[in-house]
Amino acid sequence: MSARLPLLVRGLRRPPQPPGPPRRLRVPCRASSGGGGGLWRRGGPARAAAAAGHPGREQPRPGQPGAPGVGLDRQIIDEILKINEDTRVHGLALQISESSFSNKVLNALKPEKDVDGVTDINLGKLVRGDAHECFVSPVARAVIELLEKSGVNLDGKKILVIGAHGSLEAALQCLFQRKGSMTMSSQWKTPQLQSKLQEADIVVLGSPKPEEIPLSWIQPGTTVLNCSHDFLSGKLGCGSPVVHFSGLIADNDVSLLAAALRIQNVVSSGRRWLREQQYSRWRLHCLKLQPLSPVPSDIEISRAQTPKAVDVLAKEIGLLPDEIEIYGKSKAKVRLSLLERLKDQADGKYVLVAGITPTPLGEGKSTVTIGLVQALTAHLNVNSFACLRQPSQGPTFGVKGGAAGGGYAQVIPMEEFNLHLTGDIHAITAANNLLAAAIDTRILHENTQTDKALYNRLVPSVNGVREFSKIQLARLKRLGIKKTDPNTLTEEEMRKFARLDIDPSTVTWQRVLDTNDRFLRKITIGQANTEKGYSRQAQFDIAVASEIMAVLALTDSLTDMKERLGRMVVASDKSGQPVTAEDLGVTGALTVLMKDAIKPNLMQTLEGTPVFVHAGPFANIAHGNSSVLADKIALKLVGEEGFVVTEAGFGADIGMEKFFNIKCRASGLVPNVVVLVATVRALKMHGGGPSVTAGIPLKREYTEENIPLVADGCCNLQKQIQITQLFGVPVVVALNVFKTDTRAEIDLVCELAKRAGAFDAVPCYHWSVGGKGSVDLARAVREAASEGSRFQFLYDVQLPIVEKIRTIAQAVYGAKDIELSPEAQAKIERYTQQGFGNLPICMAKTHLSLSHQPDKKGVPKDFILPISDVRASIGAGFIYPLVGTMSTMPGLPTRPCFYDIDLDTETEQVKGLF
């Protein structure tokens, strides 16, 4: 029979060799009786068992001294978990007896690395008939293949499996039953063993035959296979001799083929790993919508839809299990390692959603963004990703409400989207306030200590050893002090190292809080006696106004973020030189606090399409866009034919201009299409309609047809289209339709938009019916993207700061010129002298008008834009001129949103969010 064995088995035969030095854990464990073990790294097999006893020595049995127990289980599991995460390892086999350890040990293996098929997941798939999706025991497969290749017809045969345990027993039974055999299992001490042996056509020995069992019990001509030989160690079970008689297939045949099949499993695992590293097509299961009329509240709609488990969504869009960190059931962070895995994958199309100049009536950019991706993916079967900013908690409880979209175009669960999410804003708050504390503490200690005392406390002796920390060595290098021994510095060098000499009047770094609190806009700090009379005026900003938020939004790696955090300028010293977070020695600590916040947050829309929610910088003193990292990851995931749709804050004159000149400059990404959002109601206000007050019913000009008002207001839409054209990107107008809009008004807006140069103008109904209502918009966006983009920046960053400001004011806002205050002029000169003159510009201006006067609607003309001050976010990488007074801490209105927000204490459901 063995003459018919595959050539592969013949080729594996070799004379016995002495075992090499064993690789063992710190504690002993039993050698396997069923197939040996080993661990393979990429590039070929390497004998390195994760848990292996000496291949030629009897190990303690359970119950004996030194036998495996809970402590050993824990150690082996720890080793297995380490190997699970090692991407160089594609196969892991345990050279231990299954009966000696708990199932927890076996099931600690990742199923995709379980090349011996011992985990419950692999066994379960085998039982279900999904053998092609799992690893099957190489020993069990070897038995079947040897029998079949030896000419044995298994259909109807009586099979007796003796002495097998666990996964081997289960795999043998399952495989034999699939071949039509009648399978029985027995142990060597079974009383009826002799009668069972005499009835069997085929006997499979799962463990060595005891001496007391005579060979005469086996009928002549019975086919016998011995599975107890350990090919890798050269050991025969517990020392039983090889049995030879008519009908026996030699035990070496089984072990040789099992070893070959195990290697085949390792190769398959490696190939699967290689496939996973490549981009894979989405297998997205979209969620069905059942829109109601009238449309319920946002939170009722959100709660009526059951989101997919986030790990299911991640798998559908091609994320690997080790690339996500799950938060609850519906949120996950995505690791940046994905960018390395998909670095050779072409990017998808990049779409920006911007809007006309905002009004209190709202334009619905977030709703359009969500409606567009729902239409692309759920209705046109095109991969798409939405990338949104994380909303601040302040407006959520203040007056604006949430920012998850609305109606049937939302991110769900909307209460998780709007409240806390995964804690990124809290991490920013902690990092920001740590830096603020470091500034004032340093000023206090420098004011109250001599140079020597200050130096000794900054570089203390610990257990008789005195040394600089890594960040202190970096400061010495910047100061030009080429010494590493703290005891060798001169008095002047010690003073230079220890004193930052911060000028308190120049401190620009403020404390932050993610709550609207007008009474923190100006405060006095340091009034306690313990602060020894050091006090100064300061303020709190809203958390999303922190420069750390802008850094998070613009960074492209952990290393880059750390460098940006270190570069943040917090004040000037008394000689006018900038003082940075790096000077304060806090860069590493800030990075630690932000190490998880840098990972984008994965959520989903109402129709089950993917969304990244990441970063949310202010759109006035910062650039108002979601993160570069979220966009880059999404562009890889959607594939070359897919779309990533992101949103810019405020109107196109602010959010879009900053997206192009700041974000795209930092990321190197090129946008393909701009979607410009407008509403009939907002255009009526720009056309001269009456003012609107929150909580008061709209006047009839906004609820009844008024063609003249719409026509007059379209001047703002036309101006925003022209601004977009400055950057060479095609623009599609999305008219967000309300139930009070008439067909004549809708047609007029679309017609005027096309005349102004829009590629297309499309009415959208996603709020009331979901993605189906934006299919026309999705088609228009696809067509516009196919036209190609001739993207260009508005200005060269090498221009003087004043010229860059003037370019934006005149070309974008339509100003006649700019006017600098003396303070602004002085700041520009200082920043230029400090080497920051080549940074892009981030204009901090009212969003309610193209001009600096919020009540000037439409398209103001011939105005002079006043620049009251100029500040710098050096870590984020831009200069921001202030146009007029700019509040960075919102206040609460007379009737905040929190009056309507409540919790059902029985169901724990949130009520009142919108």
Side-chain angles (χ1 to χ4, degrees), residues 414-436:
M414 67 94 76
E415 59 267 45
E416 294 186 28
F417 175 93
N418 287 308
L419 302 174
H420 303 299
L421 197 59
T422 56
D424 293 350
I425 291 180
H426 301 314
I428 289 165
T429 302
N432 183 99
N433 292 344
L434 174 63
L435 180 51

Side-chain angles (χ1 to χ4, degrees), residues 459-501:
V459 195
S461 175
V462 180
N463 297 324
V465 179
R466 194 179 195 191
E467 58 185 8
F468 292 114
S469 68
K470 183 178 178 180
I471 200 167
Q472 288 177 327
L473 288 170
R475 174 164 169 74
L476 286 170
K477 185 176 181 180
R478 289 196 305 276
L479 292 172
I481 301 173
K482 299 178 181 179
K483 296 178 180 178
T484 57
D485 183 351
N487 299 310
T488 61
L489 268 65
T490 65
E491 288 187 5
E492 177 58 28
E493 288 171 337
M494 284 192 291
R495 185 192 185 287
K496 195 175 179 182
F497 169 82
R499 293 201 176 274
L500 298 180
D501 284 331

Side-chain angles (χ1 to χ4, degrees), residues 8 171 281 358 383 430 505 509 537:
L8 173 62
R281 291 188 62 81
N383 290 355
S505 67
W509 195 264
Q537 278 199 344

Side-chain angles (χ1 to χ4, degrees), residues 408-455:
Y408 287 99
Q410 290 188 56
V411 180
I412 58 171
M414 67 94 76
E415 59 267 45
E416 294 186 28
F417 175 93
N418 287 308
L419 302 174
H420 303 299
L421 197 59
T422 56
D424 293 350
I425 291 180
H426 301 314
I428 289 165
T429 302
N432 183 99
N433 292 344
L434 174 63
L435 180 51
I439 296 166
D440 290 304
T441 300
R442 187 59 174 264
I443 294 173
L444 171 68
H445 289 314
E446 288 191 23
N447 285 343
T448 56
Q449 297 181 50
T450 64
D451 293 347
K452 186 174 181 180
L454 185 64
Y455 180 77

